[in-house]
Amino acid sequence: MVERRQLPPQIKRIELTRRVGGRPVVRYQVTIDVGTVDGKRQQLRKRYTSERDAREALDQIRGEVSKGTYVHPSVLTVESACANWLMSRHGIKPKSKSGYEGVLAPVRTELGHLAVQKLTRQDIDALVTRLRGGQVVRADGTKRRPWSARSCNYLLGTLSQVLDQLVHDGTLVRNVVAHVDRVAGKPKKFATYTPTQVERVLRAIREDRNRHAWHLALSGLRRGEIGGLRWTNIDVEAKTLTVGPTRISVDGKAVEQDDAKSEDSARTLPIPDPLLVELKAAKKR
């Protein structure tokens, strides 16, 4: 006769009311303390079809709790995770935040309904494949153009940051995006104007009231730097131009930024004589 092992106190044998072949259906319910959340004691309660499964689950959960790697079940969705991460980005500029919102948009549209703990690598791979093939539509129903390798990798990097935050907070065990293969692609080469093209632009803007802005662009300044430039930034006597605060467009609205794009962007530049002539003429106008 086989001696039956006594069940540990965390496992309870339960007979359900329904029957199969005249016998009651038996389940083994595991109830175990899994720590505290927001100062409240939390218990996990789950049923298993066999005693063996229940014992194995109990051992695994106790081990994870003791090592501090246990993750509490969560109904947090991918949509909420993205929204919370964007809200937490207090130190970024409006343009950067707008960029993050744009690159996460297809994730929120296509995968936002999923519980973040059920998000898989296959879900991400399938989304990237569809983006590359131009098969994803926007929230308003319009079709997106096929995404470049650079855009897809930007998405993967951003979503990885979202999940990293959840791993740090204890909501996820691991970041499923961290090891998703990045899309191979050739770096984009930026085309510059040839001397002939520059001459063509200069001829076209000869009568333009704002031609000095074109001259500044041809001299290497960014759009935001030109938009934020003030006459106080220009020293005609010293023939220097100081780049400081910028003015950019975010979602169709002009946004003033108190500082330059980066520490290296805040700089003082010499003004070439042809540009100085244009700036003097513009100030006189």
Side-chain angles (χ1 to χ4, degrees), residues 59-268:
D59 290 341
Q60 180 182 349
I61 295 169
R62 281 197 296 200
E64 291 175 353
V65 171
S66 65
K67 291 186 292 185
T69 59
Y70 177 76
V71 173
H72 298 271
S74 172
V75 295
L76 180 73
T77 63
V78 173
E79 162 63 29
S80 296
C82 292
N84 293 344
W85 181 81
L86 287 166
M87 186 173 60
S88 72
R89 304 292 288 170
H90 304 298
I92 61 175
K93 294 182 172 63
K95 192 69 173 179
S96 298
K97 187 172 184 179
S98 177
Y100 287 142
E101 289 174 343
V103 79
L104 287 174
V107 176
R108 301 171 77 174
T109 301
E110 298 290 308
L111 306 175
H113 63 285
L114 293 176
V116 73
Q117 289 184 341
K118 293 185 178 179
L119 184 68
T120 65
R121 177 172 178 167
Q122 288 74 21
D123 294 326
I124 308 302
D125 285 332
L127 176 59
V128 170
T129 299
R130 296 183 65 219
L131 283 169
R132 292 285 283 163
Q135 300 171 346
V136 177
V137 297
R138 296 184 177 86
D140 60 5
T142 58
K143 196 172 183 179
R144 294 178 179 273
R145 292 182 299 177
W147 277 33
S148 66
R150 181 176 181 273
S151 295
C152 289
N153 291 336
Y154 181 27
L155 179 151
L156 293 173
T158 304
L159 183 56
S160 186
Q161 291 184 60
V162 175
L163 300 188
D164 272 342
Q165 187 180 72
L166 296 177
V167 173
H168 181 268
D169 293 342
T171 305
L172 290 178
V173 176
R174 60 187 179 279
N175 180 349
V176 297
V177 181
H179 300 293
V180 172
D181 288 344
R182 272 31 181 183
V183 182
K186 295 181 180 179
K188 184 178 179 180
K189 293 183 179 180
F190 291 96
T192 56
Y193 284 170
T194 64
T196 301
Q197 290 173 325
V198 171
E199 291 175 1
R200 188 181 302 168
V201 171
L202 294 177
R203 286 197 301 270
I205 65 172
R206 190 171 296 159
E207 303 301 325
D208 192 328
R209 181 178 181 276
N210 296 316
R211 62 180 178 270
H212 58 293
W214 288 92
H215 279 270
L216 288 165
L218 291 171
S219 298
L221 268 69
R222 300 183 178 96
R223 285 177 296 179
E225 294 171 343
I226 298 171
L229 201 62
R230 300 293 181 265
W231 289 113
T232 52
N233 299 113
I234 297 172
D235 188 333
V236 176
E237 298 301 323
K239 297 183 180 181
T240 59
L241 180 153
T242 301
V243 177
T246 59
R247 193 167 190 260
I248 60 174
S249 174
V250 178
D251 299 329
K253 297 180 180 179
V255 175
E256 304 280 350
Q257 296 188 136
D258 294 335
D259 52 5
K261 184 173 182 180
S262 65
E263 292 183 4
D264 293 336
S265 299
R267 60 202 188 279
T268 298

